[in-house]
Amino acid sequence: MSKPDWVIGVHAVQALLEQHPEQVIELNVQQAKKLPDRLVKLTELAHQYGVRVSYPDKTFFRDIAGVHQGVLAKVKPITAAGEKELTSFLQGLSHDPLLLILDGVTDPHNLGACLRTADAAGVDAVIIPKDKSAGLNTTVRKVACGAAEAIPLFSVTNLARTLKQIQELGIWIVGTAGESEQTVYDIELGGSIALVMGAEGKGMRRLTREHCDYLVNIPMAGTVSSLNVSVATGVCLFEAVRQRQLKQKPTVE
């Protein structure tokens, strides 16, 4: 049986209780003579959804986490699906999909931030390679603030093969590369799109790049040459969101 995971911190735990209380096994609140109002609110939420609440001392928290804000939620582990499930999932969609593919994002803080941004942008699924990628650990779930539980995540053995399968389903692959002559604002992102973001520093791997239909860059006006991968993900995804919203607006005669 899989060991439970932990979600740490007030904001992450609150988001999880509000959005996916079924994922929470137990809420642990640090023992105190008088609980701060924000922790009282969490215990009330937990009781509302029938989640057990415990009040251990600070030693319990110190043994599990560093910075914890006096609250830890024991949660069910999340297991990413694989290639077969991804194909079935995509075939079952009744609209033009918007996918996010993260090619080798190894920093759990960045993965969590990308999941949070993807959820906010209405991404249908996030795809990561099984190797050379951060997994769904405690840090990812904390940073994602509930998005790790909400957004479908697929972990694939061979990313290049998966990209080819995605293309065969009529989905265009758009990769981000700093040297591209096209910007993210120059191409059509309103249809069936899979956006590929490369690893921190190195960008996309060669085989991943070769399977992209388009390569785009984010125009940089300052002295820095690139953005953090989670920030770049937000820029690109919300440009796709903007184009999709324009496409859906009725034409005024």
Side-chain angles (χ1 to χ4, degrees):
M1 184 177 178
S2 299
K3 293 182 179 179
D5 290 335
W6 298 95
V7 171
I8 304 168
V10 173
H11 295 299
V13 171
Q14 181 175 332
L16 188 59
L17 283 170
E18 290 175 342
Q19 299 166 19
H20 300 282
E22 73 283 352
Q23 289 286 329
V24 184
I25 299 171
E26 181 181 50
L27 176 66
N28 293 276
V29 177
Q30 186 170 317
Q31 193 179 94
K33 291 182 179 180
K34 179 176 173 55
L35 290 179
D37 290 343
R38 60 183 184 174
L39 296 187
V40 171
K41 181 179 180 181
L42 288 184
T43 61
E44 290 174 347
L45 271 175
H47 289 309
Q48 179 182 337
Y49 292 111
V51 175
R52 184 171 66 250
V53 180
S54 296
Y55 299 90
D57 61 23
K58 61 182 179 181
T59 304
F60 172 85
F61 293 84
R62 187 182 60 220
D63 291 343
I64 295 175
V67 180
H68 49 75
Q69 299 177 314
V71 60
L72 287 171
K74 182 188 289 187
V75 296
K76 299 175 183 177
I78 301 174
T79 303
E83 288 100 325
K84 291 182 180 179
E85 293 87 351
L86 174 62
T87 300
S88 299
F89 174 82
L90 294 176
Q91 290 174 337
L93 293 177
S94 58
H95 58 272
D96 290 340
L98 176 59
L99 309 177
L100 174 63
I101 300 171
L102 301 173
D103 184 21
V105 174
T106 57
D107 186 322
H109 290 89
N110 281 336
L111 177 57
C114 287
L115 290 175
R116 185 173 181 176
T117 300
D119 181 63
V123 166
D124 292 291
V126 176
I127 301 166
I128 60 174
K130 281 187 177 178
D131 60 341
K132 297 181 180 179
S133 175
L136 280 174
N137 59 24
T138 297
T139 300
V140 172
R141 296 180 76 162
K142 177 183 179 182
V143 176
C145 277
E149 290 75 26
I151 195 162
L153 180 69
F154 297 87
S155 179
V156 300
T157 304
N158 188 318
L159 185 57
R161 181 177 63 208
T162 297
L163 292 176
K164 186 176 180 180
Q165 293 170 344
I166 288 173
Q167 288 170 319
E168 290 171 352
L169 293 173
I171 300 171
W172 295 92
I173 309 292
V174 179
T176 51
E179 72 276 11
S180 172
E181 295 182 359
Q182 294 185 109
T183 77
V184 68
Y185 308 114
D186 294 331
I187 66 167
E188 170 61 43
L189 297 174
S192 298
I193 294 294
L195 175 68
V196 186
M197 307 300 299
E200 302 96 341
K202 297 180 180 179
M204 292 182 295
R205 290 176 288 182
R206 179 182 59 82
L207 280 177
T208 303
R209 180 189 298 264
E210 291 176 356
H211 281 82
C212 292
D213 296 298
Y214 299 100
L215 293 177
V216 299
N217 72 70
I218 298 172
M220 306 293 291
T223 58
V224 297
S225 59
S226 63
L227 297 172
N228 172 276
V229 63
S230 63
V231 176
T233 296
V235 172
C236 295
L237 283 180
F238 277 92
E239 171 58 17
V241 169
R242 185 190 69 83
Q243 291 190 25
R244 286 163 178 262
Q245 289 178 341
L246 286 176
K247 193 174 180 180
Q248 293 171 1
K249 284 185 177 180
T251 303
V252 178
E253 298 290 342

